[in-house]
Amino acid sequence: AKNIQVVFTQNTVDVQENNNSITQGGPPYPLTLPKGVSLSTDVPDNKFQFDKLGRTTAGTITLTGAGNSAGVSARIRVEASGYAFAK
């Protein structure tokens, strides 16, 4: 079985399969956020782990700007079904 997860740090997003960053079929992971953008989550260990049906623990990802983007933020809600949307 494949273990798919999305792991976050303050300035990176990493999509992993079996604890290894995915490197095929698109941009190589981990992706580094642009300078002045930081990320935070309210999920355990700052990661979403997905089952075979795409389900995960519900949580929120918050992107916050600094410098020229100070005061700008965006929130992304991830539902337990795996559906994500801007909040």
Side-chain angles (χ1 to χ4, degrees), residues 10-55:
Q10 185 176 2
N11 64 349
T12 64
V13 176
D14 193 9
V15 179
Q16 299 178 348
E17 178 182 341
N18 298 326
N19 297 317
N20 295 307
S21 298
I22 294 176
T23 58
Q24 298 178 6
Y29 288 94
L31 296 176
T32 301
L33 298 175
K35 184 177 179 179
V37 177
S38 62
L39 182 150
S40 62
T41 72
D42 63 359
V43 292
D45 299 324
N46 290 318
K47 70 173 91 169
F48 289 100
Q49 291 185 285
F50 295 88
D51 69 12
K52 294 177 191 177
L53 298 176
R55 297 175 297 203

